[in-house]
């Protein structure tokens, strides 16, 4: 039944996207977009933005969607990293740019306290940090930093964002996987976690 539901949901999303694409120049398409843009990625949304009628230029939801599309384009894989600032658990203000530099790698863990896989991954990440010199590990709680998570297109958690050579690379991990590919990507040895 799970596969049936997934297929039904995918069919619904495809129909919504088709309805938006066909009607984006009229109120029906704009309303569908406003209600369902979160089902779409930047490749779906970007070509639609210039087609939205000028009458919606000041519409709060449309302005927000357009701003989010620009942020998603700026933070897409392969783009220069977007700097952000937040507080450490000790209350110290830090920026991503404090850690990203020539030869440095930063691994940002997007997580939430209610997410079981995130909570399972946390001790693994803590244990991994001393094993991988030259990599700075950071955590971002998506409940506390919703705008930041949206900007980095975080659609599921746990998600790891790796910034290497000043470029962002997105890695979605499922906790049950073995982290060999991540270790190899970061340049460390092979380390089996699970």
């Amino acid at each position: 039944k799970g596969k049936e539901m997934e297929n039904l949901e995918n069919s619904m999303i495809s129909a919504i996207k088709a309805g938006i694409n066909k009607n984006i120049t009229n109120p029906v398409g704009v309303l569908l977009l406003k209600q369902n843009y979160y089902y779409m990625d930047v490749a779906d949304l970007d070509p639609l933005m210039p087609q939205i009628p000028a009458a919606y230029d000041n519409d709060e939801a449309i302005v927000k969607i357009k701003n989010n599309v620009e942020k998603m384009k700026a933070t897409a894989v392969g783009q220069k990293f977007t700097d952000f600032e937040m507080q450490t658990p000790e209350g110290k203000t830090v920026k991503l740019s404090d850690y990203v530099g020539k030869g440095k790698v930063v691994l940002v863990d997007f997580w939430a306290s209610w997410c079981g896989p995130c909570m399972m991954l946390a001790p693994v990440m803590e244990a991994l940090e001393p094993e991988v010199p030259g990599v700075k590990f950071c955590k971002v709680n998506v409940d506390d930093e919703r705008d930041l998570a949206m900007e980095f297109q975080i659609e599921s958690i746990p998600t790891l964002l790796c910034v290497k050579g000043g470029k962002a690379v997105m890695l979605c991990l499922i906790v049950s996987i073995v982290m060999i590919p991540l270790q190899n990507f970061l340049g460390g040895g092979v380390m089996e976690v699970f």
Side-chain angles (χ1 to χ4, degrees):
K1 287 193 176 197
K3 189 68 171 170
E4 245 179 78
M5 281 301 284
E6 184 179 334
N7 289 338
L8 185 59
E9 184 178 18
N10 289 338
S11 295
M12 177 195 75
I13 292 169
S14 292
I16 289 169
K17 286 180 179 181
I20 292 169
N21 282 312
K22 185 175 180 180
N23 295 288
I24 193 62
T25 58
N26 66 51
V28 172
V30 173
L31 178 64
L32 278 172
L33 177 69
K34 288 165 62 171
Q35 294 175 337
N36 298 284
Y37 72 92
Y38 46 85
Y39 288 122
M40 303 171 80
D41 61 24
V42 72
D44 296 325
L45 291 167
D46 193 36
L48 296 173
M49 296 301 100
Q51 297 179 55
I52 297 172
Y56 296 94
D57 283 349
N58 295 320
D59 182 282
E60 186 178 333
I62 294 300
V63 169
K64 181 179 177 181
I65 293 168
K66 286 182 176 183
N67 288 338
N68 284 338
V69 168
E70 290 307 310
K71 288 178 181 178
M72 287 189 287
K73 287 174 16 184
T75 59
V77 171
Q79 297 297 318
K80 184 180 183 302
F81 75 93
T82 299
D83 202 12
F84 62 89
E85 181 179 288
M86 59 187 310
Q87 301 288 318
T88 67
E90 297 80 28
K92 179 182 173 191
T93 300
V94 294
K95 293 182 180 183
L96 182 59
S97 59
D98 294 339
Y99 302 103
V100 174
K102 189 173 183 177
K104 290 187 180 178
V105 175
V106 177
L107 196 60
V108 183
D109 177 11
F110 288 88
W111 69 286
S113 60
W114 49 263
C115 168
C118 297
M119 301 312 285
M120 291 172 60
L121 184 61
V124 173
M125 297 303 288
E126 288 173 21
L128 189 58
E129 185 169 11
E131 299 292 325
V132 189
V135 176
K136 175 65 180 170
F137 288 72
C138 304
K139 295 175 72 83
V140 174
N141 184 325
V142 297
D143 289 331
D144 296 339
E145 302 289 341
R146 290 177 192 262
D147 290 341
L148 186 60
M150 180 80 156
E151 187 172 337
F152 281 96
Q153 304 174 58
I154 305 304
E155 295 176 359
S156 62
I157 52 175
T159 294
L160 298 179
L161 169 70
C162 183
V163 180
K164 183 177 183 179
K167 302 256 178 169
V169 180
M170 191 74 63
L171 300 173
C172 274
L173 296 182
I174 299 169
V175 172
S176 63
I177 69 164
V178 175
M179 292 181 62
I180 292 172
L182 177 61
Q183 277 291 98
N184 289 340
F185 177 80
L186 295 174
V190 174
M191 178 180 172
E192 187 171 323
V193 178
F194 297 100

